[in-house]
């Protein structure tokens, strides 16, 4: 097999994935990189850019789109707002509390969360409920690793994710569009599923503020809004938590919010999506394409009613 050196390749042929890998190579080589301490020492079990059970091999969405086309209502309502305004977000000091129905409630400093386990690379599709999607190389740890730290009690059935409120830095929280803080929720078995991660980086670097620094939930088979950004607290409960979106529009946003092309949003179809950076629409896949991994979590449920 002929392997071309990057220098031989015209820049028009350089793909986001190649940029991503070069960037990681650069970070690996630069001992002084701020991220050196938190990046995996080796390329991790998955190997660089290779498809695995957990990663898609689809083309990555260019970094410039991932960091400039965002939903982060605390920082404004236009897709371009968070890239500018979220620069004010204070991400240090930062603590994460995990409490509720657990044997060992804990408040962890962000630096300790970063050291809990080696960061793993996961290339996931992200499908927004509004009908667009991206493919993003996340760095994170399984949510189960985090939850095991506090030893959930047998009575714990659900997990609530509570995100930061910084009125001085977040213009959005001075409005009443949502009931702040932005909260989300999962069933405990969904939160413990190996696909569910707490992301701390993307594209081989620390998480940009607009993508939910320093800690952001990622649940790839659910609509993007389930992936709460800038999380400060995780609470285990015995009843289904009410989320910010359920409170604001219960007919439109259910607790499960699994990506499902067969169940329309009351105001639009969910059958197709536009990959950011592309023009033609593609079909939306059941569970965002993760049926093999997560389908069994929902056997016996009527997904039209429990949407
Ligand atoms: N705290 C918080 N988290 C949030 C949101 C938000 O408004 N506030 N928006 C959600 C929505 S609707 C989507 S589609 C994704 C977008 O993530 P991205 O900007 O990293 O692509 O973040 C989700 N997480
Ligand atoms: Mo979204």
């Amino acid at each position: 097999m002929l392997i071309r050196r990057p220098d031989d390749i015209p820049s028009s042929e350089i793909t986001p994935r190649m940029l991503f890998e070069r960037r990681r190579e650069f970070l690996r080589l630069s001992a002084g990189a701020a991220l050196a301490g938190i990046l995996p020492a080796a390329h991790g079990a998955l190997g660089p850019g290779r498809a695995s059970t957990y990663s898609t091999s689809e083309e990555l969405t260019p970094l410039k789109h991932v960091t400039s086309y965002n939903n982060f209502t605390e920082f404004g309502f236009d897709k371009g707002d968070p890239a500018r305004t979220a620069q004010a977000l204070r991400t240090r000091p930062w603590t994460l509390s995990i409490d509720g129905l657990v044997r060992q409630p804990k408040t962890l400093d962000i630096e300790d969360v970063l050291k809990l386990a080696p960061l793993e690379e996961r290339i996931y599709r992200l499908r927004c409920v509004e009908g667009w999607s991206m493919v993003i190389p996340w760095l994170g740890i399984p949510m189960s690793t985090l939850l095991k730290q506090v030893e959930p009690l047998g009575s714990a059935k659900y997990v609530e994710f509570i995100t930061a409120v910084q009125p001085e830095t977040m213009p959005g929280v001075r409005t009443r569009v949502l009931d702040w803080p932005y909260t989300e929720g999962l069933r405990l078995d969904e939160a413990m599923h190996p696909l569910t991660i707490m992301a701390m980086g993307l594209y081989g670097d620390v998480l940009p503020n607009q993508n939910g620094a320093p800690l952001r939930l990622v649940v790839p088979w659910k609509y993007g809004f389930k992936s709460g950004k800038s999380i400060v607290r995780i609470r285990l409960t015995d009843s289904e938590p009410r989320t910010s979106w359920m409170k604001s529009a219960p007919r439109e946003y259910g607790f499960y919010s699994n990506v499902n092309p067969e169940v329309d949003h009351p105001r639009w179809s969910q059958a197709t999506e536009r990959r950011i950076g592309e023009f033609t629409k593609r079909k939306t896949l059941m569970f965002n394409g993760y049926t093999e991994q997560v389908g069994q979590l929902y056997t016996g449920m009527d997904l039209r009613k429990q949407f």
Side-chain angles (χ1 to χ4, degrees):
M1 183 175 128
L2 176 71
I3 300 172
R4 290 196 286 177
R5 284 184 294 118
D7 294 347
D8 302 336
I9 302 172
S11 60
S12 60
E13 274 184 41
I14 292 175
T15 64
R17 187 181 299 275
M18 290 160 69
L19 280 177
F20 172 46
E21 262 144 37
R22 277 201 212 169
R23 177 157 184 77
R24 288 203 311 187
E25 184 67 7
F26 166 77
L27 282 165
R28 203 170 60 75
L29 296 174
S30 60
L35 203 64
I38 74 162
L39 278 177
H43 276 312
L46 302 175
R50 230 181 297 127
S52 76
T53 325
Y54 300 133
S55 286
T56 170
S57 55
E58 284 169 280
E59 196 180 336
L60 303 177
T61 300
L63 177 63
K64 64 171 195 283
H65 295 317
V66 175
T67 57
S68 67
Y69 191 87
N70 302 101
N71 272 337
F72 199 165
T73 38
E74 291 88 328
F75 287 103
F77 302 99
D78 291 334
K79 305 285 175 238
D81 287 341
R84 284 177 294 106
T85 58
Q87 300 320 313
L89 176 74
R90 275 180 286 102
T91 59
R92 294 292 188 283
W94 194 277
T95 56
L96 172 70
S97 299
I98 316 181
D99 55 39
L101 299 173
V102 303
R103 205 172 318 273
Q104 293 282 341
K106 277 187 182 160
T107 295
L108 300 164
D109 191 85
I110 180 67
E111 308 302 338
D112 296 323
V113 179
L114 287 164
K115 279 183 237 148
L116 269 184
L119 295 186
E120 292 174 30
E121 173 203 313
R122 299 287 183 87
I123 302 173
Y124 284 162
R125 289 178 285 273
L126 176 99
R127 167 62 157 81
C128 177
V129 74
E130 294 162 9
W132 48 267
S133 63
M134 300 197 193
V135 176
I136 302 175
W138 302 101
L139 288 172
I141 62 171
M143 189 60 72
S144 62
T145 303
L146 206 44
L147 294 176
K148 281 176 195 156
Q149 297 291 311
V150 297
E151 302 174 37
L153 295 174
S155 52
K157 295 282 179 289
Y158 296 89
V159 188
E160 183 179 30
F161 296 89
I162 302 161
T163 73
V165 179
Q166 290 181 2
E168 338 75 78
T169 69
M170 297 173 164
V173 304
R174 291 177 232 137
T175 71
R176 285 162 171 262
V177 279
L178 285 179
D179 187 16
W180 314 107
Y182 187 107
T183 66
E184 260 306 334
L186 297 173
R187 230 169 44 195
L188 182 60
D189 59 342
E190 297 176 321
M192 296 294 284
H193 190 280
L195 278 177
T196 305
I197 60 167
M198 186 66 101
M200 303 180 224
L202 58 77
Y203 263 103
D205 209 338
V206 288
L207 209 54
N209 288 358
Q210 59 268 40
N211 297 97
L215 291 172
R216 181 246 173 91
L217 171 64
V218 181
V219 196
W221 71 95
K222 293 179 181 274
Y223 290 117
F225 67 86
K226 298 296 285 180
S227 299
K229 294 177 170 181
S230 307
I231 292 173
V232 293
R233 184 176 172 205
I234 298 177
R235 202 169 67 94
L236 286 87
T237 66
D238 54 6
S239 58
E240 197 180 276
R242 285 184 75 222
T243 70
S244 296
W245 287 110
M246 288 166 78
K247 288 186 215 169
S248 84
R251 274 187 0 99
E252 302 190 10
Y253 308 111
F255 178 76
Y256 284 93
S257 291
N258 292 314
V259 173
N260 188 341
E262 290 156 24
V263 176
D264 290 340
H265 184 280
R267 291 184 281 138
W268 58 83
S269 161
Q270 292 292 25
T272 62
E273 68 199 55
R274 192 174 73 85
R275 192 63 53 85
I276 297 300
E278 296 179 0
F279 294 99
T280 49
K281 287 195 175 178
R282 52 174 78 212
K283 282 201 165 101
T284 288
L285 303 174
M286 187 64 202
F287 296 117
N288 206 18
Y290 300 94
T291 301
E292 212 178 299
Q293 293 98 323
V294 301
Q296 86 287 349
L297 292 173
Y298 308 102
T299 42
M301 281 174 57
D302 181 347
L303 298 179
R304 291 187 172 275
K305 296 208 174 97
Q306 296 187 285
F307 60 90

